[in-house]
Amino acid sequence: MAEGEVKEKAVEEPKKIIHTYPLVRHSDMHEEMRTESMELAVTACEKHSANNEAAARMIKEEMDKKFGPPFHVVVGEGFGFEISYECSNLLYMFFGGNVAILIWKC
Amino acid sequence: KRVNKAAEVDAELEEWKKAKQLLKPKDQVELSDAELKEVIAKVLESINPQTPDSLIEFSHAQGEFVPLPPPGNMVIEEKEPEIAEAAPTEEEGEGEQKDDDDVSYVSRADDKHDEEGEGEGEGEGDGEHKAAASKAPAKGGRPRKLTNSFNFSNVLQWVIYDGYIQDYAAQQLEKELERERREKDKAPVGRIKVVKRKTGRAQLSEAVQGRVFEYYRYWDDPSDEYREDEGTLLPLWKFTYDKVKKNTVTDMEWNPYYYDMFAVCFGFLDFMKPIAQGAVCLFTLKNPSYPDYICMTPSGVMCVDTHPKYPYMVVVGLYDGSILVYNVQATCKEPAYRSNNVTNKHRGIVWEVKWVPDMPDGELNFFSVAADGKINNWVLMQNDLAVTTIITLFLAGDASPGPDGTLLRVKGCASCVKMHPKNPIIYLVGTEEGFIYKCSTEYSSMYLLTYNAHQLPVYRIDFNRYNTDIFVSCSADWRIKIWEDDRLEPLFVFDVGDRVGDVKWAPYSSTVFAAVTAGGRVFVFDLNVNKYKPICIQPVVSKRRNKLTRITFNPKLPILIVGDDKGCVTTLKLSPNLRIPCKAPKKQQYLDQWTLQCMKLDKLLSLVREPVKLTLPEDTAGSEDS
């Protein structure tokens, strides 16, 4: 009986493969803008992997410098949202397996 | 003179002045002096001199013309539609006060919403973030925003995980498609619909095999850089067929048209253990798990040949001496032609069959060599095979007395035959007694030349593709010998320590050949690298159980196939050291591989051959004079 249970447990836990590559879920931006923003977001998150606020601040400041002032950035692991954004200025992506980044201009 | 000049200048000036007199137009108004002196003031007024005054419109209500008010001075260039405003709330009242300070306004709105969010006590992290559209016009009228609804409004751990899994799966699918596309591109078999191929099974098998396909195509043993004179063979696939598991592979041949397809004969060689059935299977590298075409035969198949021009015509020779010709395109079940079992057959094992160039009428014909000492030429007529005996091989010995006293000439027993690649009337026959006879189709009772090749049956003769005077022979007496035409002594002799089942020259090099032995080993020799020892000895199958019987090089790819006596065909890939191409010498960069290979072989041979004739150079410095 014990063996059967052990076997069941072994079967129940399949290998969990966690992907950490940056995955763009939705984007309105032009090609170059999107790649730049994505790389910027990845850099920021890697640099401030423990501090979402610092990462968001870095992203927002860089975006403002590059593409024009009113940008908003949210970096987090669990949130819901409802936004209005200026067309062709939205990026919504995952990174690191558990972090979501939302960048928009308004 | 100076005075004169001054006077002249004055005169010119006056003339110039006169010329510059103002021209009066003909209709100029003549004014009196008083009027001329009047000062007219210039005044700027805001009256538009171009507005129409006293506009009148007919009014149907009053039934008369009524004057219209003068049009205003405003011209509208561009007008944009207004965005609907939310009902004025206290916030908006506050907003109007601080119209320019957007940041604090927005953040205050956030605070309000945060409070609400926390009050509700739901959600994690930052709560909800709302930016109402009403704030848009307050910011200086940039109405370029749209509330675009995209369906990802929730960020939770499982959402992220699911997203990744989906994307990863999509990527894998892409890669599979890419790989398939690449395979299709890089392995074009140029299929003109001569042979009908089954592709469904092949594709499935491809997906399953996966890695091995990559190795077969792209992998080159990197350790060959460090091993100067040695090479390896990488085993790729094993081809088997269930029903003929017990049979020995007696012959294999690559299809001359499709370079990934080969025919394998399943028969048996052991006299003591006859196997009642045999088969010819056409395998393809695209589908290693099952043969593409299977023709079962009533007796073991000993040899096969595919016609170079019609790759679906396959002739097989059987153990019981009969010959079958299959048209695999039509059907694999019934042979298209069969040799008559009573009169038209051989009386011994058919060791070799070979297609020869078509008859002048276009009929296909082939040779067959059998253990009854006869070499026959068969022609495919309408429904039947017509046979003529080309030559009957007789032993060189004297006629020995038969049972009833008549003198019988003992017939030799041929075990292999090879047509000369350049000269279609010359062929070499190897016998069970170990002799190699050079024969011609023109002479049916005499040999052109007899080589005392081996002590035991000769199993294979193969001509070198680059120099057709050179051929190699192998025999059960453990030896591989390389001969040159017209020389009765071999150029090279190699002893490999076991019965050699087969030997073949490599198609890509003039000095490389490979042999298989009954000990389950494959030997690869390169005469250019080492004239005495093989550059690769590799056991391919287990020594005790399997003996290797046949080997063939693929004409286009660097792979070999090796057949053994358990009905299994193994594919091996040659490592780079075994297939070194020739490097052109600096002064002759333009030469192609073929010429280079021939040159290489010639150089090698000149080292080995003794000069045929030794002539003293003429003594030109005549001693008479001195």
Side-chain angles (χ1 to χ4, degrees):
Chain A
M1 273 294 287
E3 281 183 18
E5 286 174 87
V6 166
K7 275 186 192 166
E8 275 181 36
K9 279 185 193 166
V11 167
E12 276 169 23
E13 291 181 3
K15 268 197 194 166
K16 250 197 180 181
I17 309 169
I18 301 176
H19 306 283
T20 56
Y21 56 88
L23 169 59
V24 173
R25 278 296 248 169
H26 181 88
S27 168
D28 240 17
M29 295 176 170
H30 308 294
E31 196 56 53
E32 320 87 45
M33 190 175 174
R34 181 188 338 141
T35 35
E36 268 193 62
S37 317
M38 197 177 80
E39 281 170 17
L40 167 66
V42 166
T43 320
C45 284
E46 283 176 344
K47 189 164 170 209
H48 305 282
S49 48
N51 187 350
N52 287 343
E53 191 203 339
R57 182 181 305 129
M58 178 173 158
I59 297 174
K60 184 225 168 9
E61 283 169 355
E62 281 295 321
M63 294 294 282
D64 280 355
K65 258 190 266 173
K66 279 191 197 165
F67 302 113
F71 261 99
H72 309 277
V73 177
V74 179
V75 173
E77 291 178 19
F79 55 92
F81 56 86
E82 174 74 33
I83 62 170
S84 311
Y85 64 96
E86 194 174 310
C87 280
S88 316
N89 286 284
L90 172 77
L91 177 67
Y92 172 51
M93 59 181 277
F94 296 152
F95 176 69
N98 60 347
V99 168
I101 304 160
L102 177 63
I103 305 175
W104 77 99
K105 185 173 188 180
C106 181
Chain B
K1 273 191 184 174
R2 263 192 208 167
V3 173
N4 282 348
K5 244 200 173 175
E8 278 179 28
V9 170
D10 282 349
E12 283 178 27
L13 196 60
E14 284 201 13
E15 273 185 33
W16 184 81
K17 273 187 190 166
K18 277 185 206 163
K20 274 281 174 183
Q21 232 174 34
L22 295 165
L23 293 166
K24 278 191 194 167
K26 293 172 194 168
D27 52 355
Q28 185 172 60
V29 171
E30 294 283 343
L31 291 171
S32 62
D33 273 340
E35 285 180 326
L36 278 173
K37 285 182 189 165
E38 201 184 308
V39 175
I40 303 172
K42 290 186 182 170
V43 176
L44 206 58
E45 289 172 350
S46 66
I47 303 167
N48 186 355
Q50 293 182 345
T51 52
D53 54 346
S54 52
L55 287 174
I56 294 178
E57 191 188 57
F58 185 77
S59 159
H60 291 272
Q62 295 166 355
E64 57 180 19
F65 285 99
V66 292
L68 282 177
N73 283 335
M74 190 170 86
V75 176
I76 297 177
E77 282 282 326
E78 189 183 321
K79 193 170 180 182
E80 287 192 45
E82 294 146 2
I83 296 175
E85 295 187 7
T89 59
E90 10 177 348
E91 295 165 356
E92 198 163 339
E94 291 172 2
E96 279 166 14
Q97 285 174 15
K98 289 191 177 180
D99 210 352
D100 42 347
D101 198 358
D102 286 330
V103 177
S104 60
Y105 170 73
V106 169
S107 59
R108 202 177 321 137
D110 275 355
D111 286 344
K112 289 235 168 181
H113 281 275
D114 272 350
E115 281 168 16
E116 288 172 13
E118 282 167 18
E120 284 175 358
E122 261 197 33
E124 313 166 39
D126 307 334
E128 292 201 4
H129 177 212
K130 269 197 181 164
S134 59
K135 286 150 196 144
K139 276 196 200 169
R142 292 210 75 219
R144 289 208 48 196
K145 292 143 218 167
L146 288 172
T147 313
N148 225 337
S149 58
F150 51 99
N151 298 327
F152 315 99
S153 38
N154 237 349
V155 172
L156 294 165
Q157 291 299 293
W158 60 263
V159 171
I160 299 181
Y161 183 75
D162 279 356
Y164 270 115
I165 294 295
Q166 272 177 22
D167 185 67
Y168 190 64
Q171 270 182 23
Q172 293 301 89
L173 204 61
E174 263 294 321
K175 275 190 202 159
E176 278 295 328
L177 291 172
E178 256 308 311
R179 209 183 301 151
E180 270 178 39
R181 233 176 287 140
R182 219 196 309 145
E183 280 292 335
K184 249 188 257 173
D185 286 339
K186 287 206 174 181
V189 187
R191 208 138 300 171
I192 308 170
K193 302 252 176 188
V194 179
V195 181
K196 195 169 67 170
R197 302 293 299 274
K198 303 165 198 171
T199 48
R201 219 184 291 133
Q203 283 177 356
L204 173 68
S205 189
E206 233 182 77
V208 166
Q209 297 292 329
R211 290 242 120 181
V212 188
F213 271 96
E214 286 172 16
Y215 291 151
Y216 134 74
R217 272 276 164 184
Y218 308 116
W219 190 77
D220 279 334
D221 194 345
S223 63
D224 265 9
E225 291 174 12
Y226 308 109
R227 274 186 304 202
E228 275 273 317
D229 290 340
E230 286 177 9
T232 50
L233 298 165
L234 175 74
L236 293 170
W237 297 289
K238 284 194 191 300
F239 296 87
T240 51
Y241 177 48
D242 267 344
K243 294 201 187 130
V244 291
K245 248 193 316 206
K246 298 201 194 104
N247 291 54
T248 317
V249 173
T250 47
D251 202 4
M252 297 183 302
E253 202 210 358
W254 289 94
N255 192 309
Y257 199 72
Y258 300 115
Y259 65 82
D260 66 329
M261 195 170 184
F262 58 95
V264 182
C265 313
F266 294 95
F268 62 97
L269 291 171
D270 194 348
F271 185 71
M272 299 309 288
K273 295 187 214 154
I275 303 173
Q277 60 163 18
V280 170
C281 296
L282 288 151
F283 286 92
T284 170
L285 295 176
K286 287 187 182 278
N287 183 3
S289 46
Y290 202 76
D292 259 21
Y293 297 93
I294 308 163
C295 310
M296 303 296 294
T297 56
S299 143
V301 180
M302 303 311 284
C303 53
V304 72
D305 195 27
T306 322
H307 198 283
K309 253 198 298 181
Y310 308 104
Y312 48 85
M313 296 302 287
V314 172
V315 61
V316 292
L318 301 185
Y319 193 88
D320 61 5
S322 48
I323 307 243
L324 306 170
V325 180
Y326 281 90
N327 183 338
V328 289
Q329 190 187 23
T331 170
C332 283
K333 305 225 169 82
E334 272 285 313
Y337 296 90
R338 190 200 295 266
S339 67
N340 193 323
N341 271 343
V342 177
T343 48
N344 255 358
K345 64 185 274 196
H346 278 286
R347 294 209 185 86
I349 306 174
V350 181
W351 283 115
E352 182 108 14
V353 284
K354 206 105 202 115
W355 288 103
V356 286
D358 289 350
M359 312 264 312
D361 291 345
E363 285 144 6
L364 307 179
N365 62 342
F366 59 90
F367 275 45
S368 69
V369 181
D372 61 358
K374 291 217 177 96
I375 300 186
N376 291 350
N377 182 10
W378 307 70
V379 180
L380 263 65
M381 313 289 270
Q382 276 285 46
N383 284 340
D384 213 353
L385 293 170
V387 63
T388 42
T389 305
I390 299 290
I391 186 170
T392 310
L393 302 164
F394 287 107
L395 273 186
D398 290 329
S400 48
D404 53 351
T406 52
L407 287 171
L408 293 168
R409 285 205 64 189
V410 182
K411 289 197 209 140
C413 182
S415 53
C416 67
V417 76
K418 191 80 181 186
M419 306 290 152
H420 194 282
K422 294 267 171 64
N423 196 345
I425 57 173
I426 305 279
Y427 57 95
L428 291 174
V429 179
T431 62
E432 298 249 333
E433 290 76 32
F435 297 116
I436 296 184
Y437 299 116
K438 180 175 167 187
C439 315
S440 161
T441 50
E442 319 246 305
Y443 302 101
S444 63
S445 54
M446 264 190 23
Y447 309 124
L448 296 175
L449 198 55
T450 309
Y451 300 88
N452 241 336
H454 295 274
Q455 274 78 47
L456 288 177
V458 179
Y459 283 139
R460 178 72 81 184
I461 305 175
D462 194 29
F463 280 99
N464 189 321
R465 276 153 241 249
Y466 295 88
N467 183 345
T468 51
D469 285 339
I470 309 286
F471 62 92
V472 64
S473 70
C474 73
S475 147
D477 67 355
W478 299 7
R479 299 231 170 82
I480 302 174
K481 297 193 182 179
I482 300 192
W483 308 82
E484 192 188 351
D485 204 15
D486 283 340
R487 287 190 54 145
L488 295 172
E489 290 296 320
L491 295 171
F492 294 95
V493 179
F494 301 98
D495 191 317
V496 292
D498 210 338
R499 282 199 330 241
V500 188
D502 198 359
V503 69
K504 285 270 166 62
W505 287 101
Y508 51 81
S509 165
S510 53
T511 50
V512 174
F513 62 94
V516 285
T517 66
R521 293 195 291 179
V522 177
F523 290 79
V524 181
F525 291 81
D526 188 346
L527 298 169
N528 214 22
V529 173
N530 191 332
K531 284 200 280 287
Y532 306 105
K533 283 198 314 178
I535 54 173
C536 169
I537 307 176
Q538 180 142 337
V540 173
V541 290
S542 71
K543 204 156 121 179
R544 260 171 285 136
R545 273 184 272 148
N546 297 16
K547 302 174 207 139
L548 290 176
T549 48
R550 287 293 183 211
I551 185 173
T552 323
F553 280 88
N554 183 315
K556 288 230 168 64
L557 305 165
I559 52 180
L560 297 170
I561 39 171
V562 180
D564 69 358
D565 70 340
K566 290 282 179 298
C568 173
V569 176
T570 314
T571 325
L572 302 159
K573 181 166 177 179
L574 295 154
S575 71
N577 263 1
L578 301 174
R579 44 183 166 103
I580 313 167
C582 275
K583 280 190 219 153
K586 280 190 189 156
K587 292 187 190 162
Q588 296 168 304
Q589 285 285 344
Y590 56 86
L591 291 175
D592 65 331
Q593 268 294 316
W594 180 276
T595 332
L596 288 170
Q597 295 281 350
C598 295
M599 281 168 47
K600 178 172 68 154
L601 184 60
D602 285 339
K603 210 175 11 169
L604 186 69
L605 291 174
S606 60
L607 290 174
V608 178
R609 282 188 206 128
E610 305 137 16
V612 181
K613 277 184 277 182
L614 287 171
T615 51
L616 277 174
E618 284 194 20
D619 197 6
T620 49
S623 50
E624 299 149 357
D625 293 343
S626 63

